[in-house]
Amino acid sequence: MLRYAIKRILLMIPVIIGVSFLIFFIMDLAPGDIVDIKLAEEALTFEEIEQLRETYGLNGSVFTRYFSYMVNFVQGDLGTSLVSGRPVLDSYLEKMPATIVLACASIFVSIMISIPLGVYAAMKRGTFADNASMVFSFLGLSIPNFWLGLMLIIVVALNVPGIPTGGFSKGIASVILPAITVGTGLTATLARTTRSSMLDVLSQDYLRTERAKGHKEIKVIMKYALRNALIPIITIAGGQFAVTLGGAVLTETVFSWPGVGRLIVDAVNSRDVPMAVGCIILKSITIGIVVLIVDLLYAVIDPRIKAQYGKRKRKQA
Amino acid sequence: MEDKKALGEPVLVVEDLQVRFELEAETVSAVNGISFTLKKGHTLGFVGETGAGKTTTALSLLRLVPHPGKVESKKIEVCGQEVSTMTTQQLEKYRGNDIAMIFQDPMTSLNPVFTVGQQIADTILLHQEVSSSEAKKKAEHMLELVGIPASREGEYPHQFSGGMKQRVVIAIALACNPEVLIADEPTTALDVTIQAQVLSMMKKLRDERQMSMIMITHDLGIIADVCDEVAVMYAGRIVETGTLVEVFNRTKHPYTEGLFNSLPNILNRSARLKPIPGLMPDPSNLPVGCSFAPRCKYAKDECFSAQPIVHQFSDTHTVACSAYARSGFAIDRPQKK
Ligand SMILES: Nc1ncnc2c1ncn2[C@@H]1O[C@H](COP(=O)(O)OP(=O)(O)OP(=O)(O)O)[C@@H](O)[C@H]1O
Ligand SMILES: [Mg+2]
């Protein structure tokens, strides 16, 4: 299992190279650079412009610039922001706590709604209740995040005292609305996955064995069936968690949430190349690690998968 | 287990059991009015070809017939309790404790994500007032009883061979010492040597615990080996029932005769096997008359037009066949003492 984890971490290297080059290249294609933006604010002489381009490392072909960036990166240097002059890593880590809190809270909201909903729909397959809960979960997917966020601000934050309209300063109270906003969007996919995975398991013979032992139906479903249905569910939930850890741009904007999503968007808008590339590399690493942890979780849930990671065990009559 | 019966008294009485699966396009009549009695300490065998309704009959005794099955009966009485009117709580106490079932396919009957020890222990925890460590000990003891080293308690079903899985399924069923054990083809998944081992183990446990047993099988050899009484099922009905000796030596029903004729005869290997011609009728479209008539070499007009007449040859030996209304009728199979 350790060997597997190491292999997976090594596999992240080509991904990081690919992703960082892509973002480098795309930012190069985008019209304008940070000097052009500065030019719009103050008049600069031709010499000053050249001077700035030189210090920002904007001269030379995209390949040579990428190469020198990567040389620094390998030495552990993610560069400094062209706008603020602060190290990229510091800015990213500073925004991370807010993002982690939002990601955890929203995946929690999503799981709390979607798993019971999916299990219930599977148990009542084909009935009105099944269709109704699936329509309900689809509604969650169809409502645009920013709209739901704005509605929550208007309806809840403005009426309920103690619930702020934005920011990250009021503890638990400030995370409720953003978490509902992000979580609702995640619910639909997760509820559908839970439903189909449970439908698969509910027809299995071993549940009849559990019932024949005299277990309560609720225990048969929530323990003996759900445990078997969990693999696809945590795959989706883990993927969603990883993506929200990369930042929820729209929700962060609506709620002035100080997370990494806005950091990245701001960096791109101001053509702050080292900031944008650095953040995206860090984001890929985060996602890669979370997905790896989810994969390792499979082995905890399903002993058959664990057997594939580890050495073979005996099998005899 | 409200009342402990003496050996030979009935522990299970079924009267007029019917099971239908009401599908969209058709209604499958899987079980069509069967009645039987199982006596304490006895083993009743159910034989019949595939689709005869054996498993469905067994599942109705546990009220586990899957949707969209509809079960009706005059009486399903196990250990003095009527099963069809049990509340959910009564049912939860009854299943696994008064009655247990060994399911047909051991490969799919075990939960893949729990250890075999856990799967045995959780029945014990459910029905007995023991701590979880005691339950674990008992589970290990059950494993040894069925011939698996206790040390493998922490392993998962996929680490076991088919024969071992079957033993685990048996251990689960026996864990709470049920009054009645239903074994649904407990050895079909196994090779012959393991089959013999598992059967003799089951017989030993049955005798030690004075358990009453229902043995479902296609195999007349197994019936002869373990059963006291036999019920021959065809298209959801019991066509012949009696003691082992009555059904084997004084066979009366043409279908039972057909079953014996489809067995190879080791004394006369040149004799051709005589399988029963044709197929069992579609249970969603049963004939008006005797279901076996289309395949029966003795069938006359009356067999096709009306349900067979039931003949009582002794207190225990009952045959549903109209041919016995004709004077002097006998099947070809010679009758023995
Ligand atoms: N869930 C179900 N839905 C519809 N029909 C069913 C269902 N379960 C069983 N049947 C039908 O009921 C009839 C009896 O099935 P059953 O499983 O009891 O046969 P069996 O005697 O146990 O056969 P086998 O020896 O193959 O195990 C069959 O015709 C089968 O198709
Ligand atoms: Mg069967």
Side-chain angles (χ1 to χ4, degrees):
Chain A
M1 202 137 136
L2 186 68
R3 284 175 63 119
Y4 175 78
I6 291 170
K7 207 169 96 191
R8 284 281 302 268
I9 289 173
L10 291 180
L11 272 175
M12 274 162 64
I13 293 173
V15 173
I16 289 170
I17 293 175
V19 162
S20 55
F21 181 72
L22 209 66
I23 186 77
F24 226 93
F25 198 67
I26 289 171
M27 291 205 57
D28 191 65
L29 287 180
D33 58 23
I34 187 155
V35 179
D36 294 325
I37 291 172
K38 280 215 154 74
L39 255 178
E41 288 159 6
E42 51 189 311
L44 297 169
T45 64
F46 190 72
E47 281 75 33
E48 282 173 322
I49 293 172
E50 275 311 301
Q51 175 90 49
L52 273 175
R53 288 228 156 94
E54 190 60 45
T55 45
Y56 286 160
L58 299 175
N59 289 331
S61 79
V62 65
F63 295 102
T64 52
R65 276 179 285 135
Y66 178 68
F67 186 75
S68 59
Y69 180 87
M70 284 317 273
V71 167
N72 287 334
F73 173 69
V74 172
Q75 290 162 352
D77 180 11
L78 279 170
T80 48
S81 164
L82 301 185
V83 177
S84 67
R86 294 184 55 207
V88 170
L89 188 62
D90 287 2
S91 311
Y92 193 84
L93 292 181
E94 184 187 287
K95 303 283 184 185
M96 223 25 209
T99 291
I100 292 175
V101 167
L102 180 56
C104 291
S106 51
I107 205 76
F108 177 78
V109 168
S110 159
I111 286 174
M112 291 316 278
I113 303 175
S114 60
I115 291 188
L117 204 65
V119 169
Y120 180 74
M123 286 170 66
K124 304 275 171 193
R125 154 161 71 172
T127 62
F128 175 76
D130 176 16
N131 296 331
S133 48
M134 284 303 110
V135 167
F136 178 75
S137 78
F138 250 118
L139 232 99
L141 187 71
S142 329
I143 295 175
N145 261 357
F146 66 89
W147 184 84
L148 179 63
L150 289 174
M151 282 302 129
L152 285 173
I153 290 176
I154 294 168
V155 176
V156 182
L158 296 185
N159 294 313
V160 181
I163 302 237
T165 55
F168 180 45
S169 51
K170 298 257 169 61
I172 292 272
S174 52
V175 78
I176 294 175
L177 296 186
I180 293 176
T181 309
V182 180
T184 306
L186 304 180
T187 297
T189 333
L190 202 52
R192 293 239 126 204
T193 311
T194 306
R195 179 181 178 273
S196 68
S197 180
M198 274 304 272
L199 276 181
D200 220 40
V201 174
L202 284 178
S203 63
Q204 298 291 322
D205 281 352
Y206 50 77
L207 292 190
R208 195 177 54 190
T209 311
E210 303 293 4
R211 290 193 182 101
K213 290 178 183 174
H215 283 302
K216 290 193 189 322
E217 186 62 20
I218 180 86
K219 198 171 169 197
V220 171
I221 302 291
M222 297 311 285
K223 182 171 177 189
Y224 299 106
L226 190 56
R227 177 89 177 256
N228 278 283
L230 227 44
I231 298 272
I233 298 175
I234 65 163
T235 308
I236 301 292
Q240 290 178 337
F241 182 65
V243 170
T244 34
L245 266 187
V249 178
L250 287 179
T251 310
E252 284 178 10
T253 309
V254 171
F255 288 97
S256 336
W257 193 259
V260 295
R262 270 168 64 216
L263 189 67
I264 296 174
V265 173
D266 290 347
V268 172
N269 284 341
S270 56
R271 302 290 181 270
D272 189 348
V273 179
M275 191 70 180
V277 178
C279 285
I280 284 182
I281 289 177
L282 290 170
K283 180 172 169 168
S284 325
I285 293 175
T286 317
I287 292 179
I289 289 175
V290 172
V291 170
L292 172 62
I293 291 173
V294 168
D295 281 359
L296 295 180
L297 257 180
Y298 292 167
V300 177
I301 292 168
D302 194 329
R304 289 165 296 185
I305 294 175
K306 190 175 188 168
Q308 290 168 8
Y309 292 147
K311 34 185 188 297
R312 294 240 155 237
K313 272 229 169 172
R314 73 217 144 116
K315 193 169 189 177
Q316 55 190 232
Chain B
M1 264 194 259
E2 267 91 68
D3 52 352
K4 280 267 175 197
K5 306 265 179 177
L7 275 180
E9 275 185 62
V11 279
L12 187 156
V13 183
V14 173
E15 272 174 35
D16 198 18
L17 172 69
Q18 305 192 13
V19 185
R20 286 187 305 276
F21 291 96
E22 288 171 2
L23 310 177
E24 258 168 49
E26 53 185 21
T27 298
V28 180
S29 307
V31 179
N32 304 297
I34 70 172
S35 306
F36 59 92
T37 301
L38 174 65
K39 296 190 190 115
K40 167 110 183 143
H42 282 220
T43 300
L44 169 63
F46 274 93
V47 253
E49 62 199 278
T50 179
K54 304 180 299 290
T55 301
T56 309
T57 303
L59 290 175
S60 3
L61 302 180
L62 283 145
R63 271 190 39 200
L64 277 176
V65 173
H67 183 80
K70 293 267 181 316
V71 182
E72 276 169 31
S73 62
K74 283 212 188 77
K75 191 186 214 177
I76 304 180
E77 199 182 276
V78 183
C79 306
Q81 317 158 72
E82 174 57 46
V83 175
S84 58
T85 55
M86 279 183 181
T87 62
T88 310
Q89 279 98 355
Q90 286 172 324
L91 209 53
E92 282 158 6
K93 273 181 86 174
Y94 161 75
R95 289 177 183 159
N97 196 25
D98 293 338
I99 191 165
M101 182 158 171
I102 297 168
F103 290 99
Q104 192 161 359
D105 186 356
M107 303 303 160
T108 57
S109 293
L110 293 172
N111 199 326
V113 300
F114 291 90
T115 67
V116 296
Q118 284 171 331
Q119 297 189 51
I120 303 171
D122 71 14
T123 336
I124 299 172
L125 275 174
L126 206 57
H127 295 293
Q128 296 173 7
E129 308 250 318
V130 292
S131 69
S132 47
S133 64
E134 282 170 317
K136 190 175 164 224
K137 275 222 185 66
K138 286 194 169 196
E140 287 173 355
H141 174 71
M142 284 312 301
L143 278 179
E144 299 216 304
L145 211 60
V146 296
I148 296 173
S151 59
R152 303 197 60 179
E153 167 272 333
E155 292 184 18
Y156 290 90
H158 74 270
Q159 291 166 286
F160 281 44
S161 70
M164 295 175 76
K165 279 186 207 159
Q166 184 60 274
R167 286 159 194 261
V168 173
V169 171
I170 294 173
I172 292 175
L174 291 178
C176 291
N177 215 349
E179 283 286 289
V180 178
L181 177 68
I182 305 170
D184 191 358
E185 312 201 15
T187 56
T188 25
L190 312 178
D191 70 64
V192 219
T193 41
I194 309 287
Q195 214 174 69
Q197 277 181 22
V198 168
L199 275 182
S200 66
M201 177 197 82
M202 287 180 66
K203 280 200 292 188
K204 188 172 137 262
L205 294 172
R206 171 196 67 186
D207 295 339
E208 279 170 10
R209 298 166 173 228
Q210 299 195 344
M211 230 165 11
S212 319
M213 197 156 108
I214 290 179
M215 171 63 80
I216 297 172
T217 177
H218 304 269
D219 187 336
L220 288 164
I222 293 178
I223 295 278
D225 189 20
V226 300
C227 297
D228 305 296
E229 281 104 30
V230 188
V232 181
M233 274 191 89
Y234 188 79
R237 292 196 176 86
I238 295 180
V239 293
E240 176 163 10
T241 178
T243 62
L244 186 66
V245 174
E246 283 168 338
V247 174
F248 274 58
N249 288 354
R250 302 194 275 281
T251 312
K252 289 290 187 290
H253 199 282
Y255 176 63
T256 319
E257 178 189 33
L259 286 181
F260 283 112
N261 283 344
S262 4
L263 291 179
N265 184 348
I266 40 160
L267 298 177
N268 180 9
R269 287 214 293 192
S270 57
R272 297 248 325 272
L273 283 185
K274 284 175 278 180
I276 311 171
L279 291 173
M280 207 174 69
D282 178 2
S284 62
N285 187 18
L286 290 175
V288 222
C290 172
S291 310
F292 187 60
R295 301 167 75 184
C296 180
K297 59 181 176 182
Y298 310 107
K300 290 264 166 60
D301 288 351
E302 73 265 19
C303 298
F304 291 94
S305 56
Q307 280 296 309
I309 303 164
V310 177
H311 285 265
Q312 197 85 34
F313 286 91
S314 77
D315 284 352
T316 46
H317 196 183
T318 311
V319 175
C321 178
S322 301
Y324 287 95
R326 302 173 214 152
S327 62
F329 175 79
I331 54 167
D332 295 343
R333 182 175 161 87
Q335 307 278 303
K336 290 180 237 160
K337 262 285 141 204

